[in-house]
Structure formats: C-alpha cells, structure tokens
Amino acid sequence: MSLKRRREPISVDAQAVEIYEDLANENEEIRLKAAQALLTKVSSEKSPSLEALQKILKRLFRGLSSSRKAARLGFSVALTEFLRQHCVSHQIDRPVLEVAAVVNVLEEQTRPSAGVSGQEERDHYLGRLFGAEAIIKSGILSSPEPPVTQWGRVIDIILELAKKKSWLREECGWVLCAALKDPPTMDGAYVEVLFEKLHSNGLIKTPEGIGLWITAMQAYPGVKYPKHVWHHGNPLHQKEKASLARILKETSTNHDTAGTAKKASQRGTWTSRLHFSWDVVFKALLEERPKQLAFSDLWTEAVDNGLFAAASSDERKYWGFLLFQKYVQILPIASFGTILGPNLLRCMINQLASAERYLHRVAEKSLRAIHSRINQDPQIISVVIGRFIANGYANFDHVTKTKTIEKLLNQADVQSLGDIIPMFGKLIDRPEAHDDKGASATRQLISDFLVSMVRSTTSPVEGDLVLAEYHRCMSTITTVFLKYAYFEVIPGVHDASKLPVPPMSFSSREMFKSRLMSCLSHLMVKSDDPAYHPYEVVNTIRRYEAQTETYKPLMSFDEGSDVSEIRRKGWKTIDKLHEDEQSGDPARTDYLRAFKLLYTLTILQVYNGDADAVSIIDELQSCSKALLVSKSQMARGKASETLVEIILSLVSKPSILFKRLAQQVFSVCTSVVNANGLQSMIMVLEAKESVSGQQEIFEQEDSESHSDVLMSDVEEVDVGTPHSPNISDTESSADGQLHDDNSDVTDNELAEFDAKLAQALGTRRLDEDLAANEEESSDEDMDDEQMEALDQQLENVFRERKKLASKKNEKKEAKETIILFKTRVLELLEIYIKQQYLNQQALSIILPILSLIRTTSNKQLSEKAFNLIRDYLKLYKLKDRLNASIIPDEAKLLLEAVHQEAMKEGSNVHANACSQASLLLTKIYITNEGDLSDVMSQYAVTQLAFMTVPDCHIRTSFFSDWLNWCTSARKALAVQIKGSH
C-alpha cells in the first residue's frame, strides 16, 4: 500500500490579510488606520528584502483593480505613502524600488487579460488610473534620480487611457491638472514633456487640454509650449473666444483637425457633473490682464449663447444652470449683471413655468441662489431687476407664477430703490409693446411694482440723509403716477423722447390715479407727519400746472367759476396751514397737520373729478377757522359737528385712503367731538342693512358717487356669513323679522320663473305629467304668426328675470355698503374710546353697539363691535373717575337698559357683549359715587327674570361673569370703600 505525500504547510500572514481587508473598508478612518499599520509593519523590519517590497507593491496595485467596497480609495492612499518611503531612500543600507520597476508593475498588474468581461476591464482601467495617480502624488517621478523618461511613460499611460476610454478622459485630465497644481520638485522639463505628448495625441484642444494649459501658465510662466496652437500661446487671448467656447461646450466643427485629433477631442457619455476646465477658465478670467478675453465676453459666447441657446439640449442647459449657481455666489458686483443673459432668463422662465418641465428643480435652485447672494449683498437687487427689465422680462413673476421681483423689491434698501425707480419710470414711458393693450398691461404691472415698493419699504428712523433719500424715492414714485394721471406731456422741438410710446390710454391714466391713491394711503401711516407726501403731491401738481409749455392739465378750471374760486381758496389755506406748522405753536402742530392733510387730499379729489370734494373744501373753510382760531364754545361745537359730518362722508366711501384720512383727522379731534357728533355716528350704527337703510343715510347723489371711487383703493367686506351659528339658519332682527331668507326667496323666484316659462312655451315639467308630451303639438304645427308671438312672450319672461336679478344685486350692494360704513364708524369709535374713555359722552355708544351686535347679519361686524366693548372695559380701571359728573340715577337706568338688552334673543357674541357692558357700567357707577348694593339689586332682579319670565333669553354666563368679576375686584373694592369712609 502506497503512502500519500504529506503537504507542506502554507504560511499565512494573518496580520497582513487583516490589513488588506481593512484597506477596502467603507469607513475612511478604518482605511487610514490600515494604511498606517501596513507602513508601520514594513518599516519595523530592520532590513526588508527587495522581494518583500515587490510583493507588497504588487498586492497594492492589484487592490486598485478591485471593485470591492472602497478598495481603490484605501489601496491608493497606502500605495502613495509606500512609494514615498521605499522608492526614494535616504539610507544607503536600505533597498529601494526602482521607478522603472514600479511603472512596469503598474502596467503588468492593471493589464486586463483577454476574454474578461466589460466590468472587469473597467475595473482594470480604473485601477491603472488610480495607480498612475498614486505614482505622481508620491513624488518619485520628480525626484533627482529618475530621468524624465519615467515621467513620460506615466503620461503615456494616462493619455492612452484618455484616448481609449472616453468616459475616463476627464478623470485623466484632472489627475494631470492636480500634478501641475501641487508639484513637489517638478521643473519646466516635465511640463514641456506633458504638452508635447498632449499635442502628439491630439488632446491639446480639448477641455482637459485647456484646463492643463491655463494651470501650467499660472504655475510655470517660463515654460515653452507647443507653437501654433493658440494666439500668442494663450488660450485666453481675445481672438480665441469662439474656439474656446466651442471646445468648452465639447462640440466640433469643420475647423477641427480631421482624423485622430477630432476623434480624441470627443467626450464619452454625458455626466451631470460640471467639467473641471470651466472653473479653471472662468476663475482665470476674473483676473483681468492685457489682451485677455473678458469674463463677460466668454460667458455670453459659451454659456448664454451656447449652453442656453434655443437649440441646446436639456443636458447642456443643465450644465449652464450649474455654472450659474456657482458664479452667482462669487462674481463681483461690477460683473454680476453679465451672467443674467437673455437666453438664461428665457430658459429659466420656461422651466419655472411648469413643475413638469425637465429642468424645473435646477431652475428653482438657481433662483434660490440669486436670493442667497442678495441676502449677502443687497445692493445687487438693482442689478438683477435691471437685467430682468433690459431683457424684456418685467413680467417674470406673472409668467413663472412666482413672486421673485416682488420679493427683491421688498428686500431693497433706499439706495437700491433710487436705482430701480428710474428704470421703472422709463419702462412706463416706453413699455416696448407692439400694441396699446400690451402697453397698458406692462404699465399696470410696473405700477403694481411701484406700489409694492411703497408698501414694503419702511421709513428709516436713523440718519437725516437716509430719511431724506427715502422721502426722495417715495416722491419720485408719486410723481411718476401724477404726471400721467393729471397731465399730458407737450414735447418741444428737441425733446420728442419725452413722449410716451404708445400714448397713454384713458384706462392707464385712471389706473395711475388709483395707484397714486394707494401710495398715499400707505405713506400716511409710515411717516410721523401724515400730511408730508400728500402735500408734496399737490405742490407738484401746482408746479406742473405752471409749466404750461411742457405739461397740459387734463382737467381745466374756468377762471372766475365757483370751482376755480374754491380751489384757489383751498390752495391759499394749505399754504397758510403749512406756514403756521413750520413757525407756529408746537401744541397746535397736530391740528395743523390734520387740517393740512384733509385739505390736500380733498383738493386731490377735485382733480379726480369727485363732485363732493368742492363742497367739502367750502365746508372746511369755516370749520378750520372755528376750531383753530375761534374761542367761542358754540362756534367750536358747531364746527366739530361739521367736521364729524365731513369725516363720515369720507368713511362712507370704500376707499382705503379716505378711511385712513378720516382716522388720522379724527384721532386729533376727538376732544372736540360733542354729543351731536357722536349721535351722527350712532345713527349710522342703527341703520338697517338694506336698500331702505342706505336711502336713510345717503342722499341720492351720494349713493351715485360711490361708483366713482378708484377700484384699487377699495376695501371689500364679506357679507355672506351670518354671525350666529346657534340660532338655527337665520338671524332674528329687532322687530322679529328674519334677515337671511335668500335661499327661500331664490327657490320661490326660480319656481315662478319656471312657471312663466312653461306657460309661454305651453309645456309641463316631466315630474308633473310624463304623458303630456304625446298630446302636445310640436313646433312644426305652428305658423309664423304663432312663432312670433311665442318669441315675444319669451322676451318678456327673460326681461322680467333680468330686472329681478338686477334688483337682487342692488340689495346685495346696498347691504355691503352699509356694513362697510358701520365697520368704518366702529373703527372711529375705537379711536374715540381709547382717547376719551373717561368722557361721560362715551357712555352714549354702549346701547347702540349692543343693539348692532344683536341685529347685524355680519359676523365680522358683530365681533368688531364686541371688541370695542371689551376694550372699553379694559381701559376703565377701578381707580378712574369720569371727567364730568354723572347722575347716579341716570347710570342706574343705563345699567338697567343693558340688562334688558341682555334678555333679548341673540348670539353668543351678543350675550358676551352685554355681560362686558354690564361690568363696565358697574365699574363706572361705583367709582362715581354709586352704591354697590344698587348694582347687586339689579343683578338680583335680572336673575329673578331669568328664573320666572319665559321670554327671557339671558345666558348663564352673564351671571358667572359677574361672580368672577366680584371675586377678582373684591380686594380693590374693599380698599376703595375703606378709603372713602
């Protein structure tokens, strides 16, 4: 029997196996530790043999061709340091690896064998590139010992890869570019070898070649480069603009050299990553040099007219957006407008217009990049908006369904506004539209932007210069509006450019009036002096009227007419008020500003064609004299009543400007408002919310004047929601009638209309008689006379239907008008209560407000009235006293009336308001010499009614609120009663 030969034991270095395993780990920290362990293991040996070094070298090169985890990253780091330590030795007795041998091992270990799969071939080529990079990074090629030949061999390996595998070309170029940027000891000879080989391989005029050439020019200015490649040996020369742009876009033309060079210059598959040469070129162009291509020229040629050209593919446009996102953050302000070219903006608009577009997300990211840069440099806003306007994209927001320009305007500082406003003014003059409709649309768009600027810009509080600049910008905007709202430009012989093209239409002029009113309504509340900008506006109008050779007023006033005389007196009064304000008593400043504001805006309404404005100026003449000059209480009282009537006439119109005007004036004059003035306001609150209520308050001419209010300055009110969800579907009124029966009326009207229509046609509804169709005669049996009679009957039926619809609209409009009027009056009363809550006259508004809450059908109006009562209660403290004596019996009667009001059926808001009013009157009563026991007796009577009277609808919260108040006020009342005794 034969014996088996015994196998020799195989020696396995477990530590080395573990190290090589860790070199492929995906954790970077583990990979670095493994590389350090390998180098430590080799260096710890006293004299490692050359064979051991070669074995490790081969293993590291083989690891570069592995696609396992992060093997290439780990092995390349270890290989670089290994070569740095064992290929160049400073110790005589240590063996070193020869550079030529290292290059040989690289070629041997990364050469794919025949018949391998495509993935394996790819892994070997990637391993070869990583190996070549490790050799270059190690510095062994540029050390004094090896000749430049080995450098040439490595360059040949890299360029061969670039030509053979186009998808590796950019990475090959990047490796060589990194070698030029950070050379350890490389001299000019190495660079010359590199470019000779680039030239011979046809890769000199490629994106990689350009990046390498520019990098070498910056690092090695004295090197000799191949001749007849670029003008004066510089790819950034002015004459190379077209070639440079074409190469960067990676396109080829007939001017390219045929054959190998043309094939080599073509790139492989598209990648979403931006080529590194773009960054090299544009960063070099940011440093201006003589005869060098300007950044703006190349950007326009290569990016705006190249990547963003209409015929460019989505992939090229994607590259363009990546470039834009990069340079929008770093470009100097002076060159910032360059990158916002017309093609880029057109492409951005197209992609932002729909979320379904292929490049929608990258376009959004580009837009965010603009906002990000503006947050750092707000002064760029004027540049961005200027480019939008210059390229014809003032409607950017409308087309893209974004608020880009509006947001930019909101972020603009006063200095930027000073640059933007003239741009908008020129666009209003010359909107560059093909027809009047387009011009009107553009002018309206720009006007809305100007109003947005006024609305969003806050008045600066620091620095007289900044404040003066702010007022100048705002005045420039209002001047733009008033110039075309009230005047026609009359050009001279040499200033035809001042004419608007196309001419201003009537609708545009009315729109400018509307926008001017909107601007003034915003400016009134932004300035310490609300009359400042209105006064500037009317002064500008007066100045333009004097320039008869340049401006022609659209509204003329006949000399000697009543209107002209009243207007002249108005101008005179304004000048006198302004003079008194500048040099008068500071205590009268608020009064003077209030009347100056009232006069200026009323005169402005004369120019707007408001018929009531003339009569208001006439009334203001006597009113202002009595309140500012006269010391007669009777005259001042009568003047205050007139002033209240004027204020009510202003707030009766839906204009926001008039609302703010009335509030500004009323806030100054609350101390002179007497009982009759308050009663005039109460009458508005007591009016019915119907056509009859409107007729009671307004005269016919006043009702018609509402239609003249400029629409953009109109405040809308919602009248559709009843305010009391706990009272079935309708709201009970003071006389027990139902407010909202619109649905029943609509059903009845529809049924009546169907009946008349059926009678005219001689038909029945299908659900009434299904068999009627068989017995009815058809239209074919009618003669011409019968058909004409039928047409006449149908015409009468539809005419009545139209009249009915018109009547319903009239009712709806009347209701909206009254509700808006009441809302405005409540806002005035809020001002009055805040300033005059200690005035005995203020008590007269309590019952009318409670009645309003109960009777109104508008939820917002009832809540606003409730807030007024609640604020009144908060303002009046137990330590306060009215500034006039009040008879306790009268206060007691008022408290009893409030309790009677609380017993009526109403909403939760009404119940809470009655409770708050009762507590308010309780505080007023006991702080003005009233007896607390009287109040408690009244609550006892009300509680008895709650228990015994069936029609008493008072809520239990009425009593719980009273008990809670007693608990909280007990201590304060005890101290007050003790102090009085």
Side-chain angles (χ1 to χ4, degrees):
M1 181 173 123
S2 62
L3 297 176
K4 292 184 178 179
R5 186 171 61 86
R6 185 176 181 182
R7 292 183 178 180
E8 295 294 334
I10 300 175
S11 177
V12 178
D13 190 344
Q15 183 184 6
V17 172
E18 184 179 357
I19 288 174
Y20 291 134
E21 181 68 24
D22 288 344
L23 283 176
N25 197 288
E26 294 178 347
N27 189 315
E28 182 181 8
E29 186 177 355
I30 296 177
R31 292 198 305 269
L32 293 178
K33 287 183 179 180
Q36 184 179 7
L38 177 63
L39 297 174
T40 303
K41 183 176 183 300
V42 177
S43 61
S44 63
E45 299 179 8
K46 292 183 179 180
S47 180
S49 64
L50 184 61
E51 182 181 355
L53 294 178
Q54 290 177 345
K55 182 179 180 181
I56 295 174
L57 181 66
K58 291 180 181 180
R59 181 66 184 87
L60 291 175
F61 274 122
R62 282 204 311 272
L64 294 176
S65 298
S66 173
S67 60
R68 180 171 58 92
K69 298 182 181 179
R72 291 192 183 93
L73 298 177
F75 278 84
S76 63
V77 171
L79 177 61
T80 302
E81 294 302 319
F82 178 80
L83 292 175
R84 187 172 291 150
Q85 293 184 13
H86 298 284
C87 198
V88 179
S89 176
H90 300 285
Q91 299 181 17
I92 300 176
D93 57 342
R94 288 180 64 89
V96 296
L97 296 169
E98 297 292 337
V99 176
V102 172
V103 178
N104 291 336
V105 173
L106 167 65
E107 292 179 330
E108 177 186 345
Q109 296 298 322
T110 59
R111 182 183 298 114
S113 57
V116 298
S117 64
Q119 180 61 41
E120 290 178 334
E121 183 184 36
R122 174 187 175 91
D123 291 337
H124 278 80
Y125 286 139
L126 285 174
R128 176 167 291 193
L129 179 59
F130 271 81
E133 182 182 17
I135 292 174
I136 293 174
K137 282 184 177 181
S138 67
I140 63 175
L141 295 176
S142 56
S143 61
E145 289 85 358
V148 74
T149 308
Q150 302 306 320
W151 164 258
R153 286 184 63 191
V154 176
I155 296 301
D156 287 335
I157 291 172
I158 295 176
L159 295 184
E160 182 184 3
L161 282 175
K163 292 174 62 178
K164 183 178 292 186
K165 297 298 178 183
S166 58
W167 50 269
L168 271 177
R169 184 157 60 88
E170 181 182 347
E171 284 71 17
C172 293
W174 173 251
V175 169
L176 295 175
C177 190
L180 293 176
K181 286 181 179 179
D182 189 22
T185 56
M186 186 180 294
D187 58 22
Y190 288 81
V191 180
E192 292 176 0
V193 169
L194 169 62
F195 282 97
E196 287 176 2
K197 292 186 177 295
L198 280 172
H199 196 305
S200 61
N201 283 277
L203 295 172
I204 199 73
K205 280 197 171 184
T206 62
E208 295 76 22
I210 292 174
L212 289 169
W213 194 299
I214 295 174
T215 302
M217 284 175 56
Q218 295 171 346
Y220 305 94
V223 171
K224 295 181 180 180
Y225 298 95
K227 297 181 179 180
H228 309 297
V229 178
W230 306 104
H231 281 82
H232 299 286
N234 185 3
L236 300 181
H237 194 273
Q238 294 174 348
K239 295 183 179 180
E240 296 292 351
K241 180 176 68 172
S243 299
L244 189 60
R246 185 176 66 251
I247 294 171
L248 287 174
K249 291 183 295 182
E250 296 181 306
T251 58
S252 58
T253 65
N254 295 331
H255 296 288
D256 293 327
T257 56
T260 305
K262 182 176 180 180
K263 183 177 181 181
S265 66
Q266 295 176 350
R267 191 180 182 180
T269 57
W270 179 83
T271 174
S272 61
R273 186 182 64 254
L274 199 61
H275 199 286
F276 75 90
S277 59
W278 284 102
D279 204 27
V280 174
V281 171
F282 280 121
K283 282 188 176 180
L285 291 179
L286 289 177
E287 301 177 5
E288 297 182 1
R289 292 185 175 88
K291 295 185 179 181
Q292 179 176 277
L293 186 64
F295 180 94
S296 58
D297 292 339
L298 183 62
W299 181 276
T300 302
E301 180 74 17
V303 181
D304 200 63
N305 294 335
L307 299 180
F308 286 110
S312 290
S313 63
D314 288 335
E315 289 78 10
R316 293 188 185 277
K317 292 175 182 176
Y318 182 84
W319 284 345
F321 279 123
L322 293 183
L323 277 171
F324 176 80
Q325 292 167 19
K326 183 177 183 64
Y327 284 92
V328 77
Q329 300 295 339
I330 64 175
L331 204 62
I333 298 176
S335 306
F336 192 82
T338 301
I339 60 176
L340 291 169
N343 291 329
L344 182 147
L345 291 177
R346 186 202 69 246
C347 181
M348 185 180 291
I349 288 174
N350 291 337
Q351 299 300 326
L352 290 173
S354 173
E356 303 298 324
R357 302 287 168 83
Y358 185 69
L359 301 177
H360 179 78
R361 294 179 64 182
V362 71
E364 284 185 326
K365 190 174 181 180
S366 300
L367 202 57
R368 289 195 297 270
I370 296 177
H371 289 291
S372 176
R373 177 63 188 277
I374 287 174
N375 290 334
Q376 303 172 12
D377 300 310
Q379 59 268 36
I380 293 179
I381 293 176
S382 58
V383 179
V384 175
I385 293 180
R387 295 303 298 169
F388 282 155
I389 294 175
N391 292 313
Y393 296 119
N395 61 341
F396 185 90
D397 288 4
H398 176 72
V399 177
T400 60
K401 300 179 179 64
T402 63
K403 295 184 178 180
T404 302
I405 296 181
E406 185 176 344
K407 289 179 181 177
L408 295 180
L409 295 176
N410 293 343
Q411 293 178 265
D413 54 14
V414 174
Q415 183 179 357
S416 298
L417 292 181
D419 298 330
I420 295 171
I421 294 172
M423 301 179 195
F424 284 159
K426 292 179 181 178
L427 199 57
I428 288 178
D429 289 338
R430 304 292 176 97
E432 299 180 359
H434 299 292
D435 53 9
D436 292 341
K437 185 177 180 181
S440 298
T442 301
R443 285 165 176 160
Q444 181 173 346
L445 176 67
I446 300 303
S447 299
D448 290 339
F449 284 146
L450 291 174
V451 175
S452 178
M453 292 165 63
V454 173
R455 181 176 59 249
S456 61
T457 306
T458 56
S459 177
V461 293
E462 76 287 346
D464 294 337
L465 293 177
V466 179
L467 183 60
E469 181 66 17
Y470 166 78
H471 286 310
R472 188 190 67 81
C473 290
M474 298 300 104
S475 296
T476 304
I477 293 176
T478 55
T479 301
V480 169
F481 288 142
L482 71 87
K483 180 173 70 173
Y484 291 120
Y486 305 114
F487 297 93
E488 181 179 352
V489 179
I490 306 175
V493 179
H494 302 291
D495 55 358
S497 60
K498 292 184 178 180
L499 276 176
V501 179
M504 291 291 171
S505 62
F506 174 78
S507 60
S508 293
R509 295 187 188 278
E510 291 299 308
M511 180 267 298
F512 288 140
K513 291 180 184 180
S514 169
R515 300 304 185 268
L516 177 60
M517 296 298 106
S518 296
C519 288
L520 292 179
S521 67
H522 292 300
L523 292 172
M524 279 172 51
V525 297
K526 289 178 177 288
S527 176
D528 294 335
D529 180 8
Y532 179 86
H533 288 286
Y535 179 73
E536 289 293 321
V537 167
V538 295
N539 260 352
T540 305
I541 292 176
R542 184 160 47 170
R543 187 172 67 252
Y544 277 20
E545 284 182 331
Q547 300 176 20
T548 55
E549 296 181 356
T550 307
Y551 300 102
K552 176 184 177 182
L554 296 176
M555 176 173 285
S556 59
F557 302 94
D558 297 333
E559 291 293 333
S561 63
D562 293 340
V563 175
S564 180
E565 182 64 20
I566 292 175
R567 186 173 66 99
R568 186 188 64 79
K569 291 181 179 180
W571 286 122
K572 185 176 180 180
T573 304
I574 290 176
D575 292 338
K576 182 67 169 59
L577 290 171
H578 183 70
E579 181 181 349
D580 292 344
E581 178 194 352
Q582 300 299 320
S583 59
D585 183 8
R588 301 173 64 233
T589 300
D590 290 340
Y591 276 100
L592 293 171
R593 287 179 175 177
F595 277 102
K596 186 173 73 171
L597 176 64
L598 197 53
Y599 267 104
T600 53
L601 291 180
T602 306
I603 283 184
L604 196 58
Q605 283 304 108
V606 173
Y607 285 92
N608 287 336
D610 188 350
D612 294 338
V614 177
S615 61
I616 291 177
I617 293 177
D618 195 20
E619 293 174 354
L620 281 175
Q621 294 289 331
S622 58
C623 177
S624 60
K625 289 180 181 179
L627 291 175
L628 295 175
V629 180
S630 177
K631 295 183 179 180
S632 170
Q633 293 298 325
M634 181 177 296
R636 291 174 62 84
K638 188 174 180 61
S640 70
E641 295 173 15
T642 304
L643 181 62
V644 170
E645 292 296 335
I646 292 174
I647 291 174
L648 288 177
S649 68
L650 293 174
V651 298
S652 67
K653 301 177 182 180
S655 169
I656 299 177
L657 175 63
F658 290 159
K659 165 190 169 181
R660 292 177 176 171
L661 167 62
Q663 291 176 355
Q664 288 283 353
V665 176
F666 189 75
S667 63
V668 175
C669 304
T670 54
S671 60
V672 300
V673 176
N674 59 17
N676 291 334
L678 282 179
Q679 187 58 38
S680 298
M681 303 171 76
I682 290 173
M683 288 176 59
V684 177
L685 300 181
E686 294 175 343
K688 297 179 180 180
E689 298 171 3
S690 61
V691 176
S692 61
Q694 185 183 32
Q695 293 173 351
E696 289 176 6
I697 298 177
F698 303 109
E699 296 179 356
Q700 185 63 30
E701 58 270 21
D702 294 334
S703 299
E704 294 174 355
S705 67
H706 295 323
S707 60
D708 297 332
V709 177
L710 300 172
M711 291 309 294
S712 76
D713 191 38
V714 167
E715 182 179 15
E716 297 181 354
V717 61
D718 182 14
V719 299
T721 306
H723 79 280
S724 178
N726 61 312
I727 305 180
S728 66
D729 296 327
T730 59
E731 192 68 38
S732 59
S733 66
D735 55 0
Q737 296 297 323
L738 296 179
H739 281 291
D740 285 338
D741 54 354
N742 290 339
S743 59
D744 294 337
V745 173
T746 302
D747 292 340
N748 294 336
E749 291 171 353
L750 186 60
E752 184 179 355
F753 173 73
D754 288 341
K756 290 181 179 180
L757 188 62
Q759 182 180 2
L761 295 174
T763 61
R764 297 184 181 88
R765 289 192 338 208
L766 291 177
D767 56 353
E768 291 180 352
D769 191 357
L770 295 175
N773 291 334
E774 299 178 0
E775 301 175 0
E776 295 291 339
S777 59
S778 65
D779 293 343
E780 297 177 357
D781 298 331
M782 291 186 178
D783 54 22
D784 292 342
E785 294 182 358
Q786 290 175 328
M787 289 293 291
E788 290 179 1
L790 178 60
D791 289 343
Q792 185 63 36
Q793 290 178 357
L794 291 175
E795 184 179 348
N796 293 336
V797 170
F798 283 102
R799 186 184 297 113
E800 292 180 6
R801 178 67 174 175
K802 187 176 181 180
K803 289 180 180 179
L804 185 60
S806 177
K807 189 175 181 180
K808 289 178 63 178
N809 290 334
E810 182 182 357
K811 291 179 180 179
K812 180 181 178 182
E813 291 175 0
K815 185 175 182 179
E816 291 177 353
T817 302
I818 295 298
I819 289 177
L820 180 61
F821 195 7
K822 289 183 177 182
T823 302
R824 297 282 181 82
V825 171
L826 283 178
E827 291 171 352
L828 294 177
L829 290 176
E830 288 176 2
I831 297 173
Y832 183 83
I833 289 300
K834 288 178 181 179
Q835 298 184 9
Q836 302 294 323
Y837 67 93
L838 295 179
N839 193 328
Q840 180 180 346
Q841 291 179 166
L843 299 178
S844 62
I845 70 173
I846 295 177
L847 278 178
I849 290 178
L850 296 178
S851 178
L852 170 67
I853 297 174
R854 177 171 51 83
T855 58
T856 185
S857 61
N858 185 264
K859 180 180 179 180
Q860 290 77 14
L861 184 61
S862 64
E863 290 178 348
K864 196 173 192 67
F866 168 75
N867 292 336
L868 177 58
I869 296 293
R870 183 191 60 189
D871 293 342
Y872 197 171
L873 175 63
K874 290 180 180 179
L875 287 170
Y876 195 92
K877 310 296 182 183
L878 284 173
K879 62 182 180 180
D880 294 328
R881 290 179 63 90
L882 295 180
N883 54 17
S885 60
I886 178 173
I887 302 174
D889 290 342
E890 293 183 2
K892 185 178 179 181
L893 291 174
L894 185 57
L895 179 62
E896 182 181 354
V898 170
H899 281 238
Q900 291 293 328
E901 178 68 26
M903 296 180 188
K904 297 179 181 179
E905 184 178 6
S907 64
N908 289 331
V909 178
H910 174 258
N912 293 334
C914 290
S915 177
Q916 298 281 298
S918 177
L919 297 177
L920 169 64
L921 289 171
T922 297
K923 289 202 294 185
I924 293 175
Y925 183 69
I926 62 179
T927 55
N928 288 271
E929 302 178 358
D931 193 344
L932 180 60
S933 61
D934 293 338
V935 179
M936 300 183 71
S937 298
Q938 181 60 55
Y939 269 95
V941 171
T942 304
Q943 190 168 12
L944 180 62
F946 171 71
M947 298 295 295
T948 59
V949 179
D951 293 335
C952 180
H953 298 282
I954 199 166
R955 308 292 176 89
T956 54
S957 60
F958 188 85
F959 304 106
S960 61
D961 289 345
W962 159 249
L963 292 175
N964 291 335
W965 181 84
C966 289
T967 303
S968 61
R970 177 183 178 187
K971 190 173 183 179
L973 286 174
V975 173
Q976 183 177 4
I977 293 173
K978 183 178 179 181
S980 63
H981 290 298

